[in-house]
Amino acid sequence: MFNILTLNKIAKCGLDKLGDNYTITDDVAANADGIILRSYKMHDMELPSNLKAIARAGAGTNNIPTDKCTEQGIVVFNTPGANANAVKELVIAGMLLASRDVIGGVEWANTLTGDDVDKQVEKGKSNFAGCEIKGKTLGIIGLGAIGILVANAAYALGMDVIGYDPYLSVDSALKLSRHVKKANTPDEVYAAADYITIHVPLMDSTRNTINAETISQMKDGVVILNFARGGLVNNADIKKAIADGKVKKYVVDFSDSETVNQKGIINIPHLGASTEESEDNCAVMASEEIADFLENGNILNSVNLPNCSLPNDNVGRITIIHKNVPNVIAKYTEALSSVNISDMINKSRGDVAYTIINTDHAIPADAVEKLSNMDSVIRVRVIK
């Protein structure tokens, strides 16, 4: 039986995937085996001693103390692509809102009174005229699950699209329309685009990606869209660029005290993934990821450990989270010399690695103790 702590409301269709072998609680004092959450900030939270895995029902994991989890052998998952379509649709909506003054027009129309509203509308509508996105160039920084969908949708709407992503995978490239131009540097995107949308994770290396220097490389009247994370755009620099006329509009899905009620900024209250379909998709994926890890030791879509899996059809199975250092596998197999190893896989990610070992015999307790006492080992878990 596994105990799962939910730190936010998680869609029932996802939690139902866990089945009868799980108890679900929202009591933060519970000594949970796994945590499923959305935006709850965990950095000041004391992690349960039994905690083995955390699944974020969404893409970003900056609300989770990932480094601390890695040190303690806790696997952190996210759900890439589960909310991609929802965010894509809102990005397109953001472009349209920035191009056509729909918001201003609606607000004005709601102030009209009298029997001649139709005449007032015809007289005043020119104040809210805008431009079409067809024929304009959209620049995309980050061609992951969301960036690819945005690129393909924008091309289908008649836009020219240029994207930059130095980590573009083969699988992602195959999903990208052949009509999307791939830039060699972000500078190419900044110089070419009428609209720029950013879709990268927030890290030290990406914080303030959009700043005074990068804005200076953009076209006059550029529209900037941020549906990834607020810290990717420097608020002070974007407000100055709007005041100077360099940036026409800034559309942001992460409203804060520096962006609300500012001329030229369209604040959206973090609605990117807020659809019924997206919340269901994220909940299902998060539940399936955490269940496969707890029950089988398999890892898929972790942000701190490598993807690693084996069929679970043997008598014994043990997993080891360990440091990525030379000559450790031989030590692990030596510790298990009293049983026959039928299959094994080892994968690494930076300074950490993960090994799954299947055996034809039950895992002896003394072997587990030997492994646990090795300097290179972070965490050992007997699956069966």
Side-chain angles (χ1 to χ4, degrees):
M1 183 69 72
F2 296 107
N3 297 318
I4 300 296
L5 169 63
T6 57
L7 294 176
N8 297 103
K9 184 179 179 181
I10 305 299
K12 183 177 182 298
C13 62
L15 298 178
D16 286 347
K17 291 286 184 179
L18 297 175
D20 296 334
N21 199 31
Y22 293 82
T23 59
I24 312 296
T25 181
D26 58 4
D27 181 2
V28 293
N31 196 6
D33 298 287
I35 291 176
I36 302 178
L37 77 163
R38 294 173 63 195
S39 57
Y40 185 95
K41 292 178 172 57
M42 290 186 60
H43 290 280
D44 295 328
M45 176 181 170
E46 183 176 348
L47 301 180
S49 60
N50 280 346
L51 188 61
K52 304 169 183 66
I54 300 169
R56 161 77 161 94
T61 55
N62 55 311
N63 57 320
I64 300 170
T66 306
D67 290 344
K68 180 179 179 180
C69 290
T70 304
E71 292 171 1
Q72 297 184 21
I74 299 166
V75 184
V76 179
F77 297 94
N78 68 347
T79 56
N83 61 9
N85 185 71
V87 178
K88 173 207 75 177
E89 291 185 2
L90 202 59
V91 172
I92 300 299
M95 279 199 293
L96 295 171
L97 291 174
S99 302
R100 311 280 295 273
D101 191 7
V102 176
I103 295 174
V106 169
E107 291 175 346
W108 172 73
N110 283 330
T111 67
L112 302 179
T113 59
D115 297 330
D116 62 341
V117 167
D118 54 339
K119 294 180 180 179
Q120 295 179 59
V121 165
E122 290 304 314
K123 184 178 180 179
K125 67 180 183 181
S126 60
N127 294 320
F128 307 98
C131 65
E132 300 177 16
I133 63 174
K134 182 179 180 180
K136 306 300 191 302
T137 297
L138 173 64
I140 303 175
I141 304 296
L143 293 168
I146 296 171
I148 287 173
L149 290 183
V150 171
N152 294 344
Y155 173 74
L157 289 170
M159 301 187 77
D160 295 322
V161 184
I162 180 172
Y164 172 75
D165 191 331
Y167 307 108
L168 183 66
S169 68
V170 174
D171 287 344
S172 295
L174 291 173
K175 297 174 184 175
L176 189 65
S177 169
R178 62 184 177 84
H179 299 285
V180 175
K181 180 181 178 182
K182 289 177 278 296
N184 295 314
T185 67
D187 296 351
E188 291 181 44
V189 176
Y190 300 146
D194 302 296
Y195 301 79
I196 294 174
T197 182
I198 185 167
H199 299 284
V200 299
L202 177 61
M203 304 179 291
D204 290 341
S205 59
T206 61
R207 187 176 297 277
N208 293 324
T209 292
I210 304 299
N211 55 48
E213 180 181 352
T214 54
I215 292 172
S216 70
Q217 302 174 51
M218 300 175 188
K219 292 181 178 181
D220 291 345
V222 66
V223 171
I224 297 173
L225 304 108
N226 180 9
F227 290 82
R229 280 293 179 268
L232 297 170
V233 176
N234 184 289
N235 285 336
D237 291 349
I238 199 79
K239 287 193 287 188
K240 184 178 187 305
I242 292 171
D244 293 343
K246 179 70 176 180
V247 172
K248 178 183 177 182
K249 295 283 185 182
Y250 175 44
V251 187
V252 58
D253 197 30
F254 303 93
S255 306
D256 61 28
S257 58
E258 296 182 359
T259 62
V260 294
N261 299 313
Q262 297 289 320
K263 184 178 180 180
I265 299 180
I266 298 175
N267 281 277
I268 299 175
H270 202 182
L271 299 181
S274 295
T275 67
E276 295 177 6
E277 296 87 349
S278 173
E279 292 180 7
D280 288 354
N281 292 341
C282 289
V284 168
M285 185 181 289
S287 296
E288 290 177 341
E289 289 167 350
I290 208 166
D292 195 20
F293 176 72
L294 292 177
E295 296 173 25
N296 303 306
N298 294 325
I299 295 178
L300 178 64
N301 295 327
S302 171
V303 300
N304 64 336
L305 268 84
N307 287 344
C308 187
S309 62
L310 270 182
N312 185 7
D313 53 7
N314 292 77
V315 175
R317 185 177 180 96
I318 190 170
T319 66
I320 309 167
I321 299 174
H322 57 95
K323 298 174 184 176
N324 185 20
V325 293
N327 304 318
V328 294
I329 301 301
K331 296 178 181 178
Y332 302 160
T333 56
E334 182 181 354
L336 293 164
S337 59
S338 63
V339 297
N340 183 54
I341 295 175
S342 56
D343 204 356
M344 178 174 65
I345 187 170
N346 168 261
K347 297 287 184 179
S348 64
R349 179 173 183 160
D351 295 331
V352 68
Y354 188 64
T355 300
I356 304 173
I357 299 174
N358 287 343
T359 67
D360 290 331
H361 309 86
I363 306 295
D366 62 333
V368 177
E369 185 177 359
K370 286 180 184 178
L371 288 167
S372 300
N373 290 331
M374 292 182 182
D375 291 339
S376 61
V377 172
I378 299 172
R379 190 167 196 166
V380 176
R381 192 159 70 94
V382 176
I383 304 298
K384 62 179 184 179

